[in-house]
Amino acid sequence: MAIMKVGPAGIETISGALKRPKKQDGHNHGNYLVTTHRTAASSNPNCQRIYSFEADRYDRSTPLTSKELDARARFQAVAAAVKARKSDLNKITTDQQNFAAQKETAGGKKTMKAYLWKVCGDDYDATHQG
């Protein structure tokens, strides 16, 4: 989705995807149309650019490696563990106390969700690394 800034004279800037290919019957129709708007200071007056890419631009060209498959499996398992743990009534109170105790320490997680991801991730790593 593109972000557009409209002024009194019409469109001033556009940034984002204007058009994406439509997938139909197993293949893509059309192409990508992407715009960018530079906001950094520069002496160049041309701050708006538009690009067109083929429909297969973002298709993967290599198969997944075992490392990527392991990372995906870890993410899926930890996400499920976080979801289960945040609604487990037996652990909520101790998790809240432990979160508050580590929050202000160096390297402490600042949100409860980040804390649960760290705890569940560490549990996953401990059970799957040995």
Side-chain angles (χ1 to χ4, degrees):
M1 177 181 356
I3 297 172
M4 181 179 2
K5 182 178 178 186
V6 180
I11 298 171
E12 292 181 7
T13 63
I14 300 177
S15 183
L18 298 177
K19 180 179 173 245
R20 292 187 178 138
K22 180 179 179 183
K23 189 162 199 156
Q24 187 174 12
D25 297 329
H27 61 279
N28 292 327
H29 296 274
N31 59 3
Y32 288 95
L33 195 59
V34 180
T35 62
T36 60
H37 176 73
R38 184 188 68 238
T39 57
S42 173
S43 60
N44 186 344
N46 301 320
C47 60
Q48 189 74 36
R49 296 182 186 256
I50 188 164
Y51 303 96
S52 179
F53 302 119
E54 293 297 322
D56 63 352
R57 165 81 178 216
Y58 299 106
D59 288 347
R60 186 178 183 105
S61 62
T62 59
L64 291 170
T65 65
S66 62
K67 188 175 181 179
E68 290 171 317
L69 291 171
D70 292 344
R72 288 182 180 194
R74 181 186 186 277
F75 181 86
Q76 188 176 17
V78 172
V82 167
K83 184 177 180 181
R85 187 169 180 137
K86 73 179 181 181
S87 59
D88 185 355
L89 298 176
N90 295 324
K91 295 184 181 178
I92 288 177
T93 305
T94 56
D95 282 343
Q96 288 173 343
Q97 291 170 349
N98 293 338
F99 167 69
Q102 64 85 42
K103 185 177 179 181
E104 300 302 326
T105 62
K109 300 300 178 187
K110 302 300 179 193
T111 65
M112 186 66 165
K113 184 182 263 187
Y115 172 73
L116 290 176
W117 271 89
K118 181 180 180 343
V119 170
C120 294
D122 291 346
D123 290 345
Y124 180 89
D125 292 342
T127 58
H128 290 84
Q129 298 290 336

